[in-house]
Amino acid sequence: MEGIRLETQLNEINGTNILDVSGEIDVYTAPQFKDAVNTIIAGGQKHLVVNMRNVTYMDSSGFGVLLSATRRLRPEGGTVNLVEVSGAIDRILRITKLNTVFATYDTVDDALAAAESS
């Protein structure tokens, strides 16, 4: 394995943590992705906002992490919001009907506005 395959960074905007993700989310990097997601949820945040602008690939392991987060957040009225998903990932979301589970937005501001209004 050459170089860094996945980077996650927490950024805060108006009191909401945004998870910026770069690289590939697969069976090897999903544990790191899961740790970052769980850090946000454990902090008591009701809505998960994941900026996927720089995600080049995501397999079922990554979708599993997001589904697990959804199962934890929904009973509390929370949501999983994906921002700037690539065309390939958007296609997988539509084929698997996961686009009915995760909300997708063009910008972080749109995702934050939706989260605040829910």
Side-chain angles (χ1 to χ4, degrees), residues 27-78:
V27 68
Y28 301 106
T29 61
Q32 178 185 347
F33 181 51
K34 182 177 183 178
D35 288 345
V37 166
N38 286 339
T39 296
I40 292 173
I41 294 172
Q45 189 162 306
K46 186 173 166 181
H47 302 286
L48 176 63
V49 177
V50 183
N51 187 344
M52 299 183 63
R53 175 181 51 235
N54 296 313
V55 174
T56 56
Y57 174 82
M58 186 159 77
D59 71 7
S60 60
S61 303
F63 291 111
V65 169
L66 295 173
L67 283 168
S68 178
T70 299
R71 283 192 293 273
R72 291 177 62 191
L73 292 170
R74 276 213 176 144
E76 308 299 321

Side-chain angles (χ1 to χ4, degrees), residues 54-114:
N54 296 313
V55 174
T56 56
Y57 174 82
M58 186 159 77
D59 71 7
S60 60
S61 303
F63 291 111
V65 169
L66 295 173
L67 283 168
S68 178
T70 299
R71 283 192 293 273
R72 291 177 62 191
L73 292 170
R74 276 213 176 144
E76 308 299 321
T79 59
V80 173
N81 305 293
L82 307 179
V83 179
E84 291 190 56
V85 298
S86 71
I89 293 171
D90 185 58
R91 182 170 180 245
I92 293 169
L93 288 171
R94 283 186 277 120
I95 289 169
T96 60
K97 306 251 188 259
L98 288 173
N99 63 326
T100 64
V101 177
F102 312 123
T104 59
Y105 298 94
D106 292 332
T107 68
V108 169
D109 288 340
D110 290 345
L112 290 172

Side-chain angles (χ1 to χ4, degrees), residues 7-11 18-22 49-51 53 108:
E7 290 184 9
T8 59
Q9 180 177 350
L10 285 178
N11 293 303
I18 311 300
L19 179 59
D20 288 317
V21 185
S22 300
V49 177
V50 183
N51 187 344
R53 175 181 51 235
V108 169

